[in-house]
C-alpha cells in the first residue's frame, strides 16, 4: 500500500516538475539516503520472507521507473531551455547590425569640388607622375640648375635628375607637349612633396594646377576665372585682388587674395583684421615655357593657377593644423 501511494506521488511530482532544481530535489527526496523509497527498503528486514519478496520486487520496479522518469524529465527540461534560447535569438523583427560606412576624405572632397567648378568652366581633369624628371619639374618650367627657386622648394631627390615632384606644374609641360592645337584647358589634382613640416606644412600635400592656353588669353580671363572659383567655393560675394609676385614659369606673376568670407572685408580673426585672405598663386605662362613645350608664343598666350588643396580645406572648414588631415583620427574625419 505504501509503495502504491509513493508511486502515484512520484509520478505526479515528475509530471509537474518545471526546473532542473526541482528535479534534483525530487530525486533526492525519493532515492537519496534519507529518501522515501530508501526508507521503505530499510524497513524490509522486519517483514516475513513471503511478504519481503513481494515488496522487494515492487520496490525495485518503482526504483527503475523513477530513474526512467528522471531521465525523461531531464530531456524535457533541456529541450524547453533550448527552445527558450532559440526563441530569443531568432527574433527576426530586430533591426540588423549596420557596418560602419566610410566617406570621402575632406581633402579629396575639397579637391573634387574645385575640379567640378573648373570642369563647368571647361577645364578637363588630367594627371601626371608623382616621381618626375628634373626636366619637367624644374628645367622646362624656367628653373635652371642654379636657380634659387630650387632651394626654396627643399626637394626630395630619388636619383640624380629624378625627384618627387615639388609641384603639380610639371603636368603643365606634359599637357602642352601633348597638345595638338589650341585651346588647352586642363586641371591637375595630385600629391606633391617638399622637405617641410610644421602646423601649416606637410612633407606631402596636394595641389591643383590649372592651365589655359589659347589665342588672346589675357590677365582679365585669369581674374575672371579666379573670381568665379572663389565665389563658387567660398562666398557669392567674394572679390579677388592680385598682388605682384614672382614665379619662374609665369610672367607677370601674382599672389591672389580673396575678400574674407567671414567678415566680407571688414576685418575679423579669420583674416587677421586685414579683410583679405591669401589663397593661391598664378600668372601668365612665361613665353620661354611655351617655347620649350613647342607652342608659338607670338600667336598664343595662357595663364596658370596653382593652389594648395590643404590650404583651401583648412579655410573652408576652419582647421588650424594641417596634420589633422593625415592622422586618420576617425573623430576628426567623421565631422565632414
Ligand atoms: Zn575676416
Amino acid at each position: 500500500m505504501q509503495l502504491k501511494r509513493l508511486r502515484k506521488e512520484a509520478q505526479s511530482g515528475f509530471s509537474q516538475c518545471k526546473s532542473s532544481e526541482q528535479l534534483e530535489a525530487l530525486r533526492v527526496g525519493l532515492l537519496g539516503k534519507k529518501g522515501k523509497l530508501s526508507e521503505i527498503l530499510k524497513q524490509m528486514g522486519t517483514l516475513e520472507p513471503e511478504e519481503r519478496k513481494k515488496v522487494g520486487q515492487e520496490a525495485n520496479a518503482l526504483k527503475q521507473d523513477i530513474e526512467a522518469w528522471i531521465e525523461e524529465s531531464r530531456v524535457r527540461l533541456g529541450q524547453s531551455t533550448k527552445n527558450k534560447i532559440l526563441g530569443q535569438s531568432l527574433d527576426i523583427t530586430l533591426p540588423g547590425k549596420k557596418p560602419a560606412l566610410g566617406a570621402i576624405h575632406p581633402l579629396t572632397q575639397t579637391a573634387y569640388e574645385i575640379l567640378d567648378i573648373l570642369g563647368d568652366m571647361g577645364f578637363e581633369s588630367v594627371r601626371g607622375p608623382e616621381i618626375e624628371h628634373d626636366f619637367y619639374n624644374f628645367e622646362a618650367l624656367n628653373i635652371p640648375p642654379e636657380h634659387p627657386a630650387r632651394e626654396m622648394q627643399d626637394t626630395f631627390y630619388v636619383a640624380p635628375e629624378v625627384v618627387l615632384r615639388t609641384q603639380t606644374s610639371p603636368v603643365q609641360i606634359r599637357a602642352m607637349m601633348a597638345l595638338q592645337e589650341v585651346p588647352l584647358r586642363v586641371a591637375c589634382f595630385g600629391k606633391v612633396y617638399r622637405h617641410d613640416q610644421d602646423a601649416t606644412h606637410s612633407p606631402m600635400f596636394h595641389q591643383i594646377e590649372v592651365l589655359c592656353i589659347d589665342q588672346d588669353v589675357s590677365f582679365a580671363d585669369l581674374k575672371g576665372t579666379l573670381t568665379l572659383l572663389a565665389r563658387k567655393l567660398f562666398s557669392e560675394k567674394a572679390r579677388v585682388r592680385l598682388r605682384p609676385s614672382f614665379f619662374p614659369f609665369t610672367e607677370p606673376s601674382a599672389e591672389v587674395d580673396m575678400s574674407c568670407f567671414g567678415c566680407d572685408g571688414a576685418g575679423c580673426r579669420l583674416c587677421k583684421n586685414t579683410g583679405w585672405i591669401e589663397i593661391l598663386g598664378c600668372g601668365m605662362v612665361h613665353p620661354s615655357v611655351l617655347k620649350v613645350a613647342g607652342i608659338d608664343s607670338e600667336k598664343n598666350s595662357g595663364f596658370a593657377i596653382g593652389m594648395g588643396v590643404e590650404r583651401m580645406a583648412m579655410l573652408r572648414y576652419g582647421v588650424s593644423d594641417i596634420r589633422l588631415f593625415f592622422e586618420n583620427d576617425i573623430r576628426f574625419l567623421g565631422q565632414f
Side-chain angles (χ1 to χ4, degrees), residues 44 47-59:
M44 292 226 311
L47 299 172
E48 295 294 317
E50 281 279 303
E51 186 76 3
R52 197 191 300 169
K53 196 180 165 191
K54 208 180 132 200
V55 173
Q57 279 175 349
E58 222 175 302

Side-chain angles (χ1 to χ4, degrees), residues 260-277:
C260 175
F261 54 89
C263 62
D264 195 25
C268 69
R269 207 168 60 95
L270 187 67
C271 56
K272 297 186 184 106
N273 278 316
T274 61
W276 296 91
I277 297 173

Side-chain angles (χ1 to χ4, degrees), residues 206-218:
H206 299 79
Q207 280 189 340
I208 290 180
E209 190 84 11
V210 185
L211 177 68
C212 170
I213 307 281
D214 204 347
Q215 289 172 8
D216 302 322
V217 173
S218 74

